[in-house]
Amino acid sequence: MDISESQKEKKDPSEISLQAISGVGLKTAETLKRLGLETVDDLLHHFPHRYLDLRRVKKISEVKEGDEVTVRGRIKNIKKIRSRRGTSVLTISLFDKTGYINGLWYNQNYIADRLKIDTEVTFSGKVVWNYHQLQMQNPLFDILSEDADISEAVHTGRVIPFHPVTKGMSVTYMRRLVKKALDEFGEIDDPMPADLLRKYRLPVKSVAIQNVHFPNDRRLWRDSRKRLIFEELFILEIGMLLRKHRLETTSRGISHKLNVRLLDKLLGLLPWELTGDQKKVVEEIKADLAKPYPMHRLLQGDVGSGKTIVALAMMVLTVRDGFQSVLMAPTEILAEQHYLKLHSYIDKLGISATLITGSLKTAEKNKRLQGLANGDYSIIFGTHALIQSGVKFKKLGSIVIDEQHRFGVNQRLKLRDKGREPDILVMTATPIPRSMALTLYGDLDISSIRELPGGRRLGDHVKTILFPKKNLHQAYKIIRDEVNRGRQGYIVCPLIDESDKLQVRSVVQEAEYLRRNVYADLKVEILHGKMSTDEKEKIMHDFRAGLIDIIISTTVIEVGIDVPNTSVILIEHAERFGLSQLHQLRGRVGRGVHKGKCLLFAELKTDEAKRRMQAITKINDGFKLAEIDLKIRGEGQIFGARQSGLPDLKLARLTIHGQVLDQARAEAKAFLAQDPTLSAPVYKNLKKELKKRFFIEGDWLFSG
């Protein structure tokens, strides 16, 4: 397969500094850096977010009020005045032999330095009728040479792009800069296979880039956007498949002799039988562990679906022949909770276990680390403390990473590198839609748990109620009623301290108010991320022991906190949270024998807030909520929590371009079926693009 017509070797735009563009100095380069633009390639892929069609060129005598047009003529008069309020007003009169029109600018007298008397220019904008004359306020303009064609204009007489800008940079300057970059460096090597472009009737990259930035033909603009979207998704999919292929063919993992007898004993200790989904996932994990290459599996499950027991099953299966298994959690509260919750089972199985966190006293920490290195512990629970340089395992065989989106990919690599290609299970209680899962985690095998133990659904056990601000007292009464029945509750606030910018009651304010005015006779405590580890652990210990009635908290309780006696949670300013986060918080209650209540206080000022509150009160399935959340918010915010090391999507949107994604994935699989390492010379540009987009520290897709 040929990539494209023979092209002369040229320097890659990703290796060219923006200062190579004529007129770009150090100061401008620093401003562009704030937008994440450092190379010519970055700028060429900095696409417009909207367009304005100014192709209607009219004689001045033909224009009328309300028209959005372009006119061409010579400057006949320039006038500067200052209003009574101190505003400077610049008026420039344009004449085209059929009539006059004035351009008006406020506090922009510097424009007169560029637009001189008798200069040939074009003005574009909306026409208004003021003071018995035609005007354009703040019109876009281009200075033309004597015999220039209107097509040479950048800001007028065409479809005008509007690129994202930052403080200290105008839209017109950005537009000129992109035009310069295209003129000077717009001939780009095409990474896409030519037969794919022919199959889908898509333009080559240079044409596509040019026509997305400065479109003149609607059909070509549409085809150019589709081509760039297809490329983004194709590169993403082929990169993820290559990563998976390399893992399965070049990595030598551990073919575990599975501890099935011990697993059976564990299952016999449980007070309930595993759900069908749990059994299915355990079988998938067993099959992975027996393979000669390392397991890399993502386990996603709804709130309370029993992922932790599945993780323990994997750990028990692998602690044989001296191998150790570790579970890393994002917070000390969660790591300690896992340890406390599972320790009784582990003890009954005759397996040694320990907990390692940053808050351990030095002497105790050193003692446990030495035991870790000696192989005294087979199962280890911990936090980021496990990836410190001084932590050594004797024989690390398997890893569980809980709430994996809280860890960067390099943190996971550091833990992996403490063993010899250990098997890895990453877990998340924030389900994501299938399209996103396949895209973000295409290098992982994916398992899902949808069933809840006992055949119940979250909706059967937790009722969600929305309260307007005027009825907040009713929510407070519901919490008191639950406490009077011997149960406990949470109140969640978005902030720790008072904020003038965000009129949201903070944790500290709320605690003071409630202790004084609402729950003076109850034990109310605060929990947030700025507290020391010892403080947080004491609060949670006392809460589990029933010594605290109500915890007022930030979202530090969002993940994994399991206190079965907690039956009610109030989420203040719920409109500030995403659906998945609200669902996670809701999952903190109703985990025991008592039914739970999730009380939402929200101000429904936007359509988006109304849609979110409607969804969370009616839907209890985390997978369905994830789909709705993706549609409401788009994947931009969700991608912010993705694995680092994946390429950014500039134009592609998984919520919109699902059909293109399916095509790209199918084509990527077909290409790799023919050439699993893209070794043919025609793939040179494709491999170069993959290296550029998929580099992770110390981990290239291709060697050599």
Side-chain angles (χ1 to χ4, degrees):
M1 297 180 183
D2 60 317
I3 279 288
S4 63
E5 299 298 322
S6 60
Q7 295 178 329
K8 62 181 181 180
E9 192 71 25
K10 55 180 76 70
K11 194 170 182 182
D12 190 331
S14 65
E15 299 171 2
I16 304 173
S17 165
L18 286 172
Q19 292 185 65
I21 302 173
S22 57
V24 177
L26 181 61
K27 185 176 180 182
T28 300
E30 287 298 319
T31 303
L32 290 165
K33 193 173 181 179
R34 293 204 298 268
L35 288 166
L37 308 178
E38 299 187 57
T39 68
V40 170
D41 185 70
D42 294 334
L43 185 61
L44 293 178
H45 289 84
H46 186 64
F47 297 117
H49 58 85
R50 69 182 182 94
Y51 300 87
L52 179 63
D53 191 347
L54 295 175
R55 288 175 296 178
R56 293 172 61 201
V57 181
K58 284 190 173 184
K59 294 178 181 179
I60 293 174
S61 61
E62 296 173 345
V63 304
K64 58 184 181 296
E65 185 177 15
D67 282 351
E68 202 155 36
V69 295
T70 296
V71 294
R72 177 174 181 169
R74 289 185 179 275
I75 293 174
K76 292 298 182 182
N77 186 41
I78 299 174
K79 183 178 5 178
K80 300 176 185 177
I81 63 171
R82 186 168 293 277
S83 71
R84 292 178 180 176
R85 296 183 178 180
T87 303
S88 63
V89 183
L90 173 67
T91 304
I92 297 181
S93 298
L94 189 69
F95 178 68
D96 72 348
K97 296 183 180 178
T98 71
Y100 286 88
I101 192 169
N102 290 334
L104 266 70
W105 289 267
Y106 299 94
N107 293 324
Q108 297 180 70
N109 282 345
Y110 62 88
I111 289 174
D113 298 332
R114 298 186 59 202
L115 300 180
K116 308 287 188 181
I117 296 292
D118 217 31
T119 303
E120 182 88 4
V121 299
T122 50
F123 283 177
S124 284
K126 190 171 185 177
V127 178
V128 296
W129 179 258
N130 272 336
Y131 302 108
H132 307 292
Q133 57 186 214
L134 294 172
Q135 294 180 351
M136 286 184 181
Q137 296 182 1
N138 296 304
L140 297 167
F141 64 88
D142 278 299
I143 302 171
L144 304 177
S145 57
E146 189 73 31
D147 55 352
D149 188 89
I150 192 75
S151 63
E152 296 179 21
V154 176
H155 309 293
T156 58
R158 63 185 310 150
V159 176
I160 305 300
F162 288 79
H163 299 80
V165 293
T166 187
K167 186 177 180 181
M169 177 164 293
S170 68
V171 173
T172 52
Y173 180 84
M174 178 65 81
R175 191 178 301 126
R176 284 199 304 271
L177 189 61
V178 171
K179 186 69 168 63
K180 281 185 181 180
L182 286 167
D183 291 344
E184 297 174 22
F185 303 101
E187 288 298 318
I188 305 167
D189 287 330
D190 201 324
M192 292 296 288
D195 54 351
L196 263 189
L197 299 182
R198 286 192 291 269
K199 178 178 178 178
Y200 292 102
R201 298 180 181 179
L202 301 174
V204 297
K205 184 157 190 176
S206 294
V207 171
I209 289 280
Q210 174 71 45
N211 282 279
V212 166
H213 283 294
F214 292 98
N216 283 316
D217 178 86
R218 183 170 183 80
R219 181 176 177 180
L220 185 54
W221 170 80
R222 187 174 60 246
D223 289 346
S224 295
R225 273 184 61 88
K226 183 179 178 181
R227 179 252 137 82
L228 293 173
I229 289 166
F230 187 91
E231 178 190 318
E232 286 185 347
L233 296 174
F234 180 76
I235 294 289
L236 180 60
E237 293 298 332
I238 209 164
M240 299 301 276
L241 291 169
L242 275 168
R243 190 185 275 174
K244 191 171 191 293
H245 174 79
R246 185 190 60 176
L247 181 71
E248 294 176 355
T249 57
T250 65
S251 300
R252 290 199 58 176
I254 305 163
S255 293
H256 286 278
K257 295 176 183 177
L258 300 179
N259 220 328
V260 178
R261 180 189 61 80
L262 214 55
L263 174 62
D264 290 341
K265 187 175 179 181
L266 168 66
L267 298 181
L269 292 172
L270 298 178
W272 63 86
E273 185 180 355
L274 294 185
T275 65
D277 280 354
Q278 286 175 314
K279 291 176 181 177
K280 177 173 176 287
V281 174
V282 169
E283 290 304 313
E284 290 170 343
I285 289 171
K286 286 167 71 174
D288 285 349
L289 294 175
K291 291 175 182 175
Y293 54 84
M295 177 181 81
H296 278 70
R297 183 168 289 277
L298 169 69
L299 172 58
Q300 55 177 8
D302 209 342
V303 172
S305 61
K307 296 181 299 300
T308 310
I309 289 298
V310 171
L312 180 60
M314 187 201 87
M315 298 171 85
V316 166
L317 282 167
T318 57
V319 290
R320 181 172 172 172
D321 300 328
F323 282 111
Q324 297 165 296
S325 186
V326 61
L327 186 153
M328 184 167 71
T331 66
E332 294 201 6
I333 290 175
L334 187 52
E336 182 187 44
Q337 178 176 282
H338 282 320
Y339 178 72
L340 293 173
K341 185 177 180 180
L342 302 178
H343 195 267
S344 60
Y345 297 122
I346 295 169
D347 276 352
K348 291 173 184 175
L349 296 174
I351 301 173
S352 57
T354 192
L355 173 69
I356 295 177
T357 62
S359 65
L360 285 172
K361 298 292 188 290
T362 303
E364 181 61 24
K365 187 175 184 180
N366 289 339
K367 178 184 174 183
R368 295 187 191 185
L369 290 178
Q370 187 60 53
L372 199 61
N374 293 339
D376 297 339
Y377 304 113
S378 296
I379 290 181
I380 302 97
F381 298 88
T383 58
H384 299 78
L386 291 167
I387 64 176
Q388 301 304 313
S389 58
V391 179
K392 299 186 186 305
F393 296 85
K394 184 175 183 180
K395 198 176 180 182
L396 182 58
S398 64
I399 294 171
V400 179
I401 296 173
D402 195 18
E403 292 305 319
Q404 61 82 31
H405 61 278
R406 301 287 185 97
F407 296 97
V409 68
N410 288 328
Q411 291 174 312
R412 298 201 295 274
L413 290 173
K414 283 181 180 179
L415 185 56
R416 181 200 69 182
D417 291 344
K418 291 183 180 292
R420 294 184 177 179
E421 296 292 352
D423 293 284
I424 299 175
L425 177 70
V426 296
M427 304 196 302
T428 179
T430 306
I432 54 177
R434 178 179 176 274
S435 61
M436 182 166 286
L438 288 172
T439 302
L440 286 178
Y441 306 111
D443 56 339
L444 302 177
D445 294 303
I446 300 173
S447 294
S448 297
I449 300 178
R450 290 175 175 267
E451 295 178 83
L452 270 64
R456 64 186 178 88
R457 299 172 301 172
L458 184 69
D460 299 332
H461 220 56
V462 180
K463 184 178 182 180
T464 305
I465 310 167
L466 179 65
F467 290 90
K469 187 174 182 178
K470 64 180 180 180
N471 294 339
L472 191 56
H473 65 282
Q474 294 178 4
Y476 290 149
K477 183 179 184 301
I478 291 173
I479 295 174
R480 175 173 285 281
D481 290 344
E482 290 296 305
V483 172
N484 288 341
R485 294 187 184 103
R487 298 160 202 167
Q488 295 159 282
Y490 298 111
I491 296 175
V492 178
C493 306
L495 302 174
I496 295 172
D497 302 307
E498 184 178 4
S499 169
D500 292 330
K501 292 182 180 179
L502 301 172
Q503 294 302 310
V504 183
R505 190 188 293 271
S506 72
V507 173
V508 175
Q509 282 181 301
E510 183 74 335
E512 290 176 356
Y513 172 79
L514 293 176
R515 282 169 174 164
R516 188 171 57 248
N517 301 302
V518 183
Y519 303 124
D521 56 324
L522 302 180
K523 181 65 171 175
V524 178
E525 290 291 352
I526 299 174
L527 185 70
H528 59 71
K530 287 187 177 181
M531 296 169 68
S532 70
T533 300
D534 288 345
E535 289 174 317
K536 286 187 283 191
E537 286 186 355
K538 184 178 187 311
I539 294 293
M540 287 309 300
H541 177 273
D542 290 350
F543 192 60
R544 290 190 191 99
L547 302 177
I548 297 171
D549 298 310
I550 301 168
I551 283 184
I552 301 173
S553 173
T554 59
T555 55
V556 70
I557 66 160
E558 172 189 350
V559 176
I561 300 302
D562 186 2
V563 181
N565 192 49
T566 311
S567 63
V568 62
I569 184 169
L570 167 63
I571 305 170
E572 297 201 353
H573 293 277
E575 76 279 359
R576 295 187 50 77
F577 299 95
L579 278 177
S580 293
Q581 196 172 33
L582 289 171
H583 186 58
Q584 286 298 310
L585 290 167
R586 175 168 63 182
R588 297 314 101 210
V589 300
R591 300 175 76 91
V593 296
H594 308 298
K595 290 192 174 184
K597 296 183 177 68
C598 177
L599 316 176
L600 305 176
F601 158 49
E603 296 183 1
L604 307 181
K605 294 181 179 179
T606 66
D607 289 339
E608 182 179 321
K610 291 174 184 175
R611 290 168 66 191
R612 282 208 303 274
M613 294 309 106
Q614 185 178 38
I616 195 69
T617 52
K618 291 185 177 180
I619 299 172
N620 294 286
D621 185 318
F623 288 85
K624 290 180 181 177
L625 284 173
E627 292 279 1
I628 294 170
D629 206 18
L630 185 60
K631 289 176 181 176
I632 292 175
R633 294 195 295 160
E635 63 269 18
Q637 295 179 45
I638 301 172
F639 259 57
R642 76 189 190 285
Q643 304 181 81
S644 59
L646 294 189
D648 289 329
L649 298 180
K650 305 293 185 182
L651 292 175
R653 294 292 177 267
L654 302 182
T655 46
I656 301 170
H657 304 127
Q659 183 179 353
V660 182
L661 175 64
D662 290 340
Q663 290 172 341
R665 186 181 297 119
E667 296 295 351
K669 286 181 178 178
F671 265 73
L672 292 179
Q674 297 177 52
D675 189 348
T677 60
L678 301 180
S679 56
V682 292
Y683 296 127
K684 182 183 72 171
N685 290 337
L686 177 56
K687 289 175 72 172
K688 188 164 62 174
E689 192 72 13
L690 282 161
K691 277 189 177 184
K692 182 168 63 182
R693 302 292 178 199
F694 271 85
F695 177 71
I696 300 175
E697 185 180 343
D699 186 18
W700 287 91
L701 274 173
F702 306 99
S703 58

